[in-house]
């Protein structure tokens, strides 16, 4: 995360340290010096995401086809110059940086609130000064780059350390990113992504040698400088008193007007004075506050010492940082073969969440664009928690059956009411399926010829749609994924309407026929804040489904779940506005008869599946001239003047779908059933029961509705639900 103010100090006060260079020219020189080595740049992917996301629209949920084009252009520019790229993503948040991570998340929550306040008042996308990068972009970018044939590494230690070490080991041309820590590591040249001119492949290069000359330091002194200035290892507030002493002592040596620049020069002057003393750290300790933890300083310096390097400031008996970090990753999962498979896939960028759960018993999720002041839509962290708890059960088991013995996962998920001061301890929750919850070993390593069916069934069970496995498997994979998520969402979120579901379906069906340029040219009359919230809620569902897909042994081809195949923010927003105006289905689906037919079929799938879980979908209020008008249940089909029931659709459609998923299936072993036994009771607390008197909240907690619930017919319960709303 860098050293506060160091990079701006270098750019503004050290004129000989950074210079504009041609990467094409540097690659040619590197090739002539090392003929057998392809010029390679290691890319700090996390530091480049904001630069890569070039589409103008960002508020609607991400313009993913446009983003893919942006990545293609970036890669092509380097390929044209004969430069190979290796992209490194952060794969773990180390405990020493968790507090800073939490502070940044709380700060981002304030920014998200400001965005929604502006959306509600102006109904337009905020300016670029309020740009908030689309949720899940790091996850989706990994797969986008893999789809474009690029090499991906997901770090198993701190990301910048792995980047610096890899670049040095493989004699790379340089590092591309935007993190002042790359000025501290004694590694290859550091290039700026923020100053990159892609059209001529030129950017700023920072010279560590010139930086040291400017400050009168050695390269080996830079880790000490970084720690004494304050970084992720040594909090700045712990060295503020030391800074004041240095500034008071060395103020005559600096003409700097900037306060931070004065501190940097004063601390550097102090280090240069003691750098050749045999017991230099003793001099440092004298200047630091009483009871300062010197081991913190030493560990901080170790974190900059790369493999095969040494430091005059660090004891030779100290364990290297990378070895210490690797040994600390003792896995929670006892099946070491499964852990090793997960680690290999993690390194390739396939299943970051899965590996962190197996190895660390931990899961985290950053901010997303959701309106904290909308009480009708729960936070995505809680909406998808029960699905995650099922995923954790696949990976870590469920103990001996009692709640007290279930493994606990430490969740760091941003949502309203969670101050991120400590993790939420979330127990695993068994799947309520015949035969019980399968293990990761069964799902990953089985040679059963029906294993793909078993994986798909288990994946659907994590979202409580296992009874419709056969029908969903008959669909195109991306549509099956969309239906799975929409069924789950509508059951979990009471405020979702049939109209919302129709908007999601319409965009999923129309997306394959749209190019990036067509999506870019879409014009929207205004931005609806609720549509923004729902778009990002769905995106987080895609990421949860991707994690489930990994845990279940990949019943889906992961690429079919990517948003450029399943979701476009602006297209969804267009369909949302049309659906909520209750425009004719022909208009919503662009007069394409085949899409209209598929749309009606998918709508019946979702409404029937929801109805079976005691959730009847009703249309949302109609928007007309800025006013909301209530409409009766069902969508009026303008083409054949017929009435489409929200539960059954057209009778012919209902019968067609009914035949698909209600036919008895052959016995496929303990994981397969044409439908779930409604009389089966949950055997463990927290397990999802099929008893209609049981109701689950967004945390997966079960509430008993009471005996009077069963006295009402389905229609009466629907009517009472409508009255409550």
């Amino acid at each position: 995360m860098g050293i506060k103010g160091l990079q701006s100090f270098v750019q503004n006060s050290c004129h000989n340290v950074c210079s504009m260079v041609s990467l094409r020219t540097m690659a040619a020189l590197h090739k002539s010096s090392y003929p057998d080595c392809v010029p390679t740049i290691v890319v700090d992917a996390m530091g480049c995401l904001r630069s890569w996301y070039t589409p103008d629209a960002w508020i609607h949920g991400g313009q993913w086809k446009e983003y893919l084009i942006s990545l293609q252009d970036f890669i092509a520019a380097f390929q044209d110059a004969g430069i190979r790229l290796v992209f490194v993503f952060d794969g773990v948040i180390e405990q020493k940086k968790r507090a800073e991570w939490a502070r940044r998340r709380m700060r981002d929550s304030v920014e998200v609130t400001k965005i929604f306040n502006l959306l509600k008042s102006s109904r337009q996308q905020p300016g670029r000064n309020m740009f908030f990068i689309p949720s899940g972009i790091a996850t989706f970018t990994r797969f986008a780059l893999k789809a474009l044939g690029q090499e991906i590494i997901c770090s198993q230690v701190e990301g910048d350390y792995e980047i610096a070490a890899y670049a040095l080991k493989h004699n790379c041309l340089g590092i591309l990113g935007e993190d002042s820590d790359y000025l501290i590591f004694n590694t290859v040249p550091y290039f700026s992504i923020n100053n990159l001119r892609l059209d001529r492949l030129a950017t700023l290069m920072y010279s560590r040698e010139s930086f040291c000359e400017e400050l009168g330091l050695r390269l080996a002194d830079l880790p000490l400088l970084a720690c004494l200035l304050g970084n992720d290892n040594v909090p700045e507030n712990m060295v503020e008193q030391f800074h004041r002493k240095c500034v008071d002592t060395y103020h005559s040596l600096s003409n700097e007007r900037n306060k931070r620049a004065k501190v940097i020069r004063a601390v550097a002057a102090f280090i240069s004075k003691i750098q050749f003393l045999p017991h230099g750290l003793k001099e440092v300790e004298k200047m630091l506050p009483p009871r300062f933890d010197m081991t913190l300083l030493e560990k901080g310096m170790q974190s900059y010492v790369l493999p095969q390097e040494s430091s005059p400031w660090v004891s030779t008996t100290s364990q290297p940082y990378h070895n210490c970090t690797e040994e600390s990753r003792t896995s929670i999962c006892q099946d070491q073969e499964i852990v090793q498979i997960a680690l290999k896939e993690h390194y390739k960028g396939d299943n970051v969440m899965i590996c962190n759960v197996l190895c660390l018993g931990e899961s985290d999720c950053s901010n997303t664009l959701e309106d904290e002041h909308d009480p009708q839509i729960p936070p995505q962290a809680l909406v998808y928690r029960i699905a995650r708890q099922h995923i954790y059960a696949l990976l870590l088991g469920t103990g001996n059956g009692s709640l007290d013995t279930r493994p606990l996962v430490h969740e760091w998920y941003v949502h309203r009411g969670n101050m991120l001061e400590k993790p939420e301890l979330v127990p695993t929750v068994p799947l309520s399926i015949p035969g019980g919850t399968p293990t990761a070993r069964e799902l990953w390593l089985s040679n059963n010829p029906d294993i793909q069916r078993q994986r798909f069934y288990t994946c659907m069970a994590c979202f409580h749609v296992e009874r419709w496995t056969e029908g969903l498997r008959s669909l195109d994979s991306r549509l099956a994924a969309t239906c799975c998520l929409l069924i789950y969402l509508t059951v979990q979120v009471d405020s979702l309407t049939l109209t919302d579901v129709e908007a999601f379906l319409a965009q999923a069906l129309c997306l394959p026929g749209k190019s990036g340029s067509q999506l870019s040219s879409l014009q929207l009359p205004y931005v609806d804040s609720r549509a923004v919230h729902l778009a990002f809620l769905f995106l987080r569902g895609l990421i949860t489904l991707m994690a489930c897909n990994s845990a279940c042994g990949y019943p889906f081809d992961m690429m079919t779940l990517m948003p450029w195949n399943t979701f476009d923010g602006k297209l969804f927003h267009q369909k949302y506005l049309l659906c909520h105006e209750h425009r004719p289905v022909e208009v919503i689906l662009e007069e394409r008869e085949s899409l209209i037919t598929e749309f009606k079929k998918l709508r019946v799938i979702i409404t029937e599946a929801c109805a079976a879980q005691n959730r009847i979908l009703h249309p949302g209020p109609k928007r007309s001239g800025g006013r909301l008008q209530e409409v009766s249940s069902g969508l009026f089909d303008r083409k054949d003047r017929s009435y489409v029931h929200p539960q059954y659709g057209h009778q012919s459609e209902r019968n067609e779908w009914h035949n698909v998923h209600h036919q008895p299936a052959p016995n496929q072993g303990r994981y397969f059933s044409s439908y779930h036994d409604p009389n089966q009771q949950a055997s463990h607390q927290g397990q999802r029961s099929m008893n209609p008197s049981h109701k689950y909240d967004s945390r997966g907690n079960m509430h008993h509705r009471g005996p009077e619930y069963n006295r009402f017919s389905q229609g009466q319960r629907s009517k009472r639900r409508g009255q409550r709303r």
Side-chain angles (χ1 to χ4, degrees), residues 104-138:
R104 294 189 181 201
R105 301 293 74 78
M106 298 306 292
R107 183 191 65 197
D108 287 347
S109 293
V110 174
E111 296 304 310
V112 169
T113 298
K114 291 178 181 177
I115 289 172
F116 273 97
N117 288 341
L118 188 60
L119 274 181
K120 291 171 183 177
S121 62
S122 71
R123 301 209 303 174
Q124 297 298 323
Q125 176 177 282
R128 194 75 179 187
N129 62 313
M130 295 184 75
F131 173 65
F132 197 88
I133 200 159
S135 299
I137 195 169

Side-chain angles (χ1 to χ4, degrees), residues 161-324:
Y161 183 92
E162 191 141 352
I163 289 167
Y166 181 97
L168 183 64
K169 178 180 179 180
H170 296 278
N171 189 28
C172 293
L173 176 63
I175 293 168
L176 181 64
E178 206 69 30
D179 190 329
S180 53
D181 276 339
Y182 298 127
L183 273 168
I184 306 301
F185 287 107
N186 186 10
T187 184
V188 301
Y190 161 39
F191 306 123
S192 167
I193 182 65
N194 287 352
N195 293 280
L196 176 65
R197 289 289 305 274
L198 197 61
D199 55 346
R200 53 192 181 95
L201 218 58
T203 190
L204 280 181
M205 180 181 75
Y206 300 89
S207 168
R208 291 181 202 88
E209 291 76 13
S210 298
F211 180 51
C212 288
E213 186 177 342
E214 174 82 21
L215 297 180
L217 301 176
R218 304 167 297 180
L219 285 172
D221 298 329
L222 293 180
L224 178 60
L225 174 68
C227 292
L228 290 180
L229 288 175
N231 57 11
D232 296 326
N233 301 285
V234 182
E236 188 181 356
N237 63 344
M238 294 182 66
V239 289
E240 285 178 343
Q241 181 181 336
F242 166 75
H243 291 170
R244 287 193 291 270
K245 287 183 180 179
C246 287
V247 170
D248 290 344
T249 305
Y250 300 101
H251 63 89
S252 61
L253 301 178
S254 173
N255 296 320
E256 296 283 357
R257 294 183 179 180
N258 180 278
K259 183 179 178 181
R260 186 62 178 173
K262 283 184 180 180
V263 169
I264 292 171
R265 288 197 182 274
V267 172
F270 167 72
I271 294 173
S272 66
K273 177 186 174 184
I274 65 168
Q275 61 187 342
F276 295 110
L277 296 179
H279 301 290
L281 279 182
K282 290 293 183 183
E283 298 301 316
V284 173
E285 189 171 10
K286 290 177 185 177
M287 290 278 282
L288 291 170
R291 296 182 297 278
F292 182 89
D293 185 359
M294 291 299 289
T295 61
L296 194 66
L297 180 66
E298 186 162 348
K299 288 179 180 178
M301 289 188 289
Q302 284 175 356
S303 70
Y304 290 106
V305 180
L306 301 177
Q308 311 308 317
E309 291 183 345
S310 60
S311 168
W313 299 103
V314 177
S315 167
T316 55
T317 59
S318 299
Q319 190 175 35
Y321 167 78
H322 62 288
N323 287 343
C324 178

Side-chain angles (χ1 to χ4, degrees), residues 352-472:
V352 174
M353 171 188 165
I354 301 305
C355 188
N356 287 339
V357 171
L358 284 169
C359 294
L360 306 174
E362 186 171 85
S363 179
D364 56 60
C365 181
S366 188
N367 304 76
T368 191
L369 278 180
E370 55 186 11
D371 185 2
E372 290 192 352
H373 298 292
D374 183 351
Q376 293 190 325
I377 305 178
Q380 65 85 19
L382 302 184
V383 169
Y384 294 109
R385 175 168 286 176
I386 186 62
R388 294 196 304 275
Q389 288 177 287
H390 292 323
I391 296 170
Y392 302 155
L394 298 176
L395 300 172
L396 301 178
T398 57
N400 62 13
S402 67
L403 184 60
D404 292 339
T405 62
R406 289 185 199 170
L408 297 174
V409 175
H410 292 64
E411 283 198 343
W412 296 89
Y413 276 66
V414 178
H415 61 83
R416 61 174 176 257
N418 183 13
M419 303 306 294
L420 298 175
E421 294 171 349
K422 58 184 179 181
E424 295 176 283
L425 302 182
V426 178
T428 65
V429 173
L431 292 172
S432 180
I433 57 177
T437 306
T439 64
R441 170 170 285 275
E442 290 173 305
L443 293 169
W444 295 9
L445 301 178
S446 172
N447 294 320
N448 187 326
D450 275 335
I451 188 60
Q452 276 301 97
R453 292 170 61 87
Q454 180 177 331
R455 289 166 176 162
F456 191 89
Y457 180 83
T458 305
C459 184
M460 294 299 98
C462 289
F463 293 90
H464 306 146
V465 295
E466 67 275 10
R467 284 185 288 170
W468 295 273
T469 293
E470 293 306 311
L472 292 173

Side-chain angles (χ1 to χ4, degrees), residues 500-519:
D500 298 327
V501 169
E502 290 168 344
F504 279 114
L505 289 179
Q507 82 82 31
L509 289 169
C510 293
L511 180 60
K514 306 287 185 185
S515 66
S517 59
Q518 286 175 315
L519 294 167

Side-chain angles (χ1 to χ4, degrees), residues 638-708:
R638 302 291 180 87
K639 185 167 185 179
D640 58 13
R641 315 297 294 174
S642 63
Y643 184 75
V644 183
H645 191 279
Q647 178 178 350
Y648 299 117
H650 292 294
Q651 186 64 30
S652 58
E653 296 169 358
R654 177 180 185 266
N655 290 341
E656 178 183 354
W657 172 242
H658 187 279
N659 291 336
V660 170
H661 81 282
H662 283 296
Q663 287 179 352
N667 183 13
Q668 301 292 345
R670 65 175 181 152
Y671 296 100
F672 306 107
S673 174
S674 59
Y675 59 88
H676 191 73
D677 180 4
N679 296 316
Q680 181 180 345
Q681 299 297 312
S683 58
H684 308 300
Q685 181 181 350
Q687 190 168 351
R688 198 170 186 88
S689 169
M690 298 308 298
N691 190 323
S693 67
H694 292 166
K695 173 72 173 176
Y696 289 81
D697 63 19
S698 58
R699 293 176 179 266
N701 299 319
M702 183 175 68
H703 302 286
H704 194 72
R705 284 174 163 143
E708 74 282 357

